[in-house]
C-alpha cells in the first residue's frame, strides 16, 4: 500500500520533483555529488519511470484491495474469501481484454491520465509532462504494450500459487512441503467456509 501511495505521489508531483532536482544540481559545488544527482535526474525523466509508476498503480490496485482486506483489525474469513474471488475474477477479466487488444492498457485510468497529459503537451515533437521533457516515451509505450499480458499473467500465476487451493476449480494445497500442519488446517477451514468449492473438494483417505 505504501509503495502504491509513493508511486501516486511521483505521478502527482513529477514536475515539482524534477524542478527541485535541477535546482539542487545547479547549486551543488561538489562534482561527485553533482554527478550522482544528475544520474538520479536522468532516471527520473526517463519515461520508463513515470509510465511504469502509472502502470503498476493501476495493475496492482486489485491486489492492494485484497491485501487491505486481510489486514483489517476484525478479520472476517468470508469477506476475505469473497475479496480473493473478486480479485481473481477482475484480473481474469483484465487479461481477457488485454489479449483481445493489448492497447487497452492505455485505457487504464492512471495510465490514460498520464499518457493524455503527455501527448497533449508535446513541444517540438518532444513529450512533456508537468513542464518537464520526458525521454524515450515512444519506446516505453511500445514496451508496455508488448509486455502487459505477461505482467498480468504473472500476477495471476502468483495469486494461484498462493491461494489456488481455495478456488472452486482447483484441488490440492497451496502450502509447500515446508509448511506445518497448522497451515493445512487453516486452508481446510477456509475451504469449508467457502461454499463455492464444496462440489470439488476431494475427500482423501476414506
Amino acid at each position: 500500500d505504501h509503495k502504491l501511495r509513493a508511486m501516486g505521489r511521483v505521478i502527482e508531483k513529477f514536475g515539482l520533483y524534477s524542478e527541485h532536482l535541477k535546482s539542487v544540481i545547479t547549486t551543488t559545488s561538489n562534482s561527485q555529488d553533482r554527478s550522482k544527482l544528475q544520474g538520479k535526474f536522468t532516471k527520473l525523466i526517463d519515461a520508463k519511470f513515470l509510465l511504469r509508476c502509472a502502470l503498476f498503480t493501476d495493475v496492482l490496485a486489485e491486489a492492494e484491495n485484497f491485501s487491505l482486506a486481510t489486514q483489517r483489525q476484525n478479520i472476517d474469513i468470508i469477506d476475505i474469501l469473497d475479496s480473493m474471488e473478486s480479485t481473481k475474477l477482475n484480473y481474469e477479466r483484465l487479461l481477457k481484454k488485454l489479449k483481445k487488444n493489448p492497447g487497452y492498457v492505455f485505457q487504464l485510468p492512471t495510465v490514460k491520465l498520464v499518457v493524455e497529459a503527455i501527448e497533449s503537451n508535446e513541444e517540438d515533437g518532444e513529450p512533456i509532462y508537468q513542464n518537464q521533457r520526458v525521454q524515450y516515451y515512444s519506446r516505453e509505450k511500445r514496451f508496455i504494450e508488448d509486455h502487459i499480458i505477461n505482467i498480468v499473467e504473472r500476477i495471476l500465476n502468483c495469486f494461484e500459487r498462493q491461494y489456488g487451493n481455495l478456488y472452486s476449480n482447483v484441488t490440492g494445497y497451496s502450502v509447500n512441503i515446508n509448511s506445518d500442519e497448522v497451515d493445512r488446517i487453516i486452508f481446510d477451514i477456509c475451504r469449508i467456509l467457502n461454499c463455492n468449492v464444496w462440489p470439488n473438494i476431494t475427500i482423501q483417505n476414506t
Side-chain angles (χ1 to χ4, degrees):
D1 179 55
H2 67 280
K3 291 180 180 180
L4 288 178
R5 289 201 303 270
M7 289 190 287
R9 294 289 288 179
V10 168
I11 295 165
E12 180 185 358
K13 305 292 185 182
F14 180 82
L16 182 63
Y17 294 156
S18 60
E19 283 298 320
H20 176 68
L21 259 180
K22 283 193 289 186
S23 175
V24 174
I25 289 169
T26 58
T27 57
T28 298
S29 58
N30 185 293
S31 60
Q32 188 174 5
D33 290 342
R34 188 166 57 249
S35 178
K36 289 180 181 179
L37 290 168
Q38 184 62 51
K40 292 180 185 295
F41 179 73
T42 300
K43 289 181 180 179
L44 177 66
I45 64 172
D46 190 321
K48 175 171 68 174
F49 185 76
L50 178 62
L51 288 182
R52 292 190 196 182
C53 280
L55 174 66
F56 288 111
T57 295
D58 287 331
V59 171
L60 295 178
E62 287 295 333
E64 179 192 25
N65 292 335
F66 174 68
S67 176
L68 292 175
T70 66
Q71 297 175 45
R72 294 172 185 157
Q73 187 171 3
N74 298 316
I75 293 180
D76 186 316
I77 293 295
I78 300 302
D79 284 347
I80 291 176
L81 292 171
D82 288 343
S83 179
M84 178 196 67
E85 291 283 358
S86 174
T87 300
K88 173 177 174 284
L89 288 173
N90 286 336
Y91 274 122
E92 287 175 340
R93 291 189 190 105
L94 175 59
L95 183 60
K96 185 177 180 180
K97 290 178 180 178
L98 291 168
K99 284 185 173 180
K100 186 176 181 179
N101 174 26
Y104 178 76
V105 65
F106 300 114
Q107 296 303 311
L108 298 179
T110 310
V111 176
K112 183 179 181 180
L113 180 72
V114 172
V115 167
E116 287 183 349
I118 291 174
E119 295 183 354
S120 64
N121 288 285
E122 289 189 351
E123 184 177 300
D124 298 328
E126 292 288 335
I128 306 290
Y129 184 72
Q130 295 182 358
N131 298 317
Q132 172 60 54
R133 291 178 185 270
V134 179
Q135 297 180 333
Y136 312 120
Y137 173 69
S138 297
R139 183 186 69 182
E140 181 58 23
K141 276 192 71 179
R142 287 195 300 271
F143 179 90
I144 287 175
E145 188 169 353
D146 290 344
H147 291 82
I148 183 58
I149 291 175
N150 179 255
I151 290 170
V152 177
E153 284 179 335
R154 291 177 69 179
I155 292 172
L156 266 170
N157 289 339
C158 180
F159 202 75
E160 184 167 313
R161 283 197 304 272
Q162 188 69 25
Y163 305 105
N165 61 306
L166 301 179
Y167 299 162
S168 58
N169 60 343
V170 179
T171 60
Y173 287 104
S174 290
V175 291
N176 59 45
I177 193 171
N178 296 318
S179 300
D180 58 28
E181 190 63 24
V182 174
D183 291 322
R184 297 179 180 273
I185 292 172
I186 290 173
F187 276 108
D188 282 337
I189 290 172
C190 290
R191 295 185 74 187
I192 290 170
L193 292 174
N194 185 6
C195 61
N196 290 326
V197 305
W198 288 357
N200 292 308
I201 293 178
T202 301
I203 301 175
Q204 299 177 344
N205 300 323
T206 59

